[in-house]
């Protein structure tokens, strides 16, 4: 996982860019495409995880989608969105990009991201 911590007097942010190569047997996203990311924060208001997904044509499929935990502080939570992989163009052997924008709250903020997963249909 990636951990973004902050000791500054104001909230601080950081972007993590992930490239995801789509396999040769990729056919399409699942009928109801879901993108899930495991996230964690020490502050449910000021510690955020915002996601933008770029399809294999480098066009934003979803922009600034919130994946911030909502349950309890300092606990891993799987967040899922059904609007991040639903309109883009995705091709076998292509590369999609994911921008994970983390903000850690002031002074003792701790925001983390871990496993990223989604379903797709394979050619058979």
């Amino acid at each position: 996982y990636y951990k973004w911590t902050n000791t500054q007097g104001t909230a601080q942010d950081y972007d993590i860019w992930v490239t995801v190569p789509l396999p040769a047997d990729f056919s399409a996203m699942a009928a109801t495409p879901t993108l899930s990311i495991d996230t964690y924060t020490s502050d449910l208001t000021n510690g955020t995880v915002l996601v933008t997904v770029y399809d294999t044509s480098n066009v934003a499929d979803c922009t600034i989608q919130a994946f911030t935990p909502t349950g309890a502080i300092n606990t891993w939570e799987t967040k899922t969105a059904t609007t991040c992989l639903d309109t883009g163009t995705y091709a076998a052997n292509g590369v999609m990009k994911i921008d994970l924008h983390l903000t850690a709250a002031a002074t003792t903020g701790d925001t983390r991201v871990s496993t990223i997963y989604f379903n797709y249909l394979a050619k058979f």
Side-chain angles (χ1 to χ4, degrees):
Y1 67 88
Y2 188 88
K3 178 178 179 176
W4 177 241
T5 57
N6 181 24
T7 58
Q8 301 298 311
T10 59
Q12 301 292 309
D13 60 3
Y14 189 82
D15 285 275
I16 303 166
W17 284 85
V18 179
T19 56
V20 181
L22 296 179
D25 71 345
F26 177 89
S27 175
M29 291 298 174
T32 303
T34 58
L35 175 67
S36 298
I37 303 174
D38 294 337
T39 60
Y40 172 109
T41 188
S42 61
D43 184 320
L44 298 175
T45 303
N46 301 303
T48 60
V49 178
L50 303 175
V51 174
T52 299
V53 175
Y54 295 88
D55 65 13
T56 57
S57 297
N58 206 32
V59 175
D61 191 348
C62 72
T63 305
I64 311 174
Q65 176 74 40
F67 279 79
T68 304
T70 55
I73 62 169
N74 301 321
T75 303
W76 284 99
E77 186 176 325
T78 300
K79 300 302 291 184
T80 300
T82 58
T83 58
C84 274
L85 303 173
D86 60 338
T87 61
T89 300
Y90 298 93
N93 295 314
V95 175
M96 68 183 216
K97 298 177 193 96
I98 303 173
D99 176 11
L100 303 159
H101 183 82
L102 280 60
T103 300
T107 312
T108 60
D110 179 355
T111 302
R112 306 174 192 181
V113 292
S114 184
T115 308
I116 300 169
Y117 40 102
F118 61 95
N119 294 328
Y120 69 92
L121 305 176
K123 296 177 188 173
F124 287 106

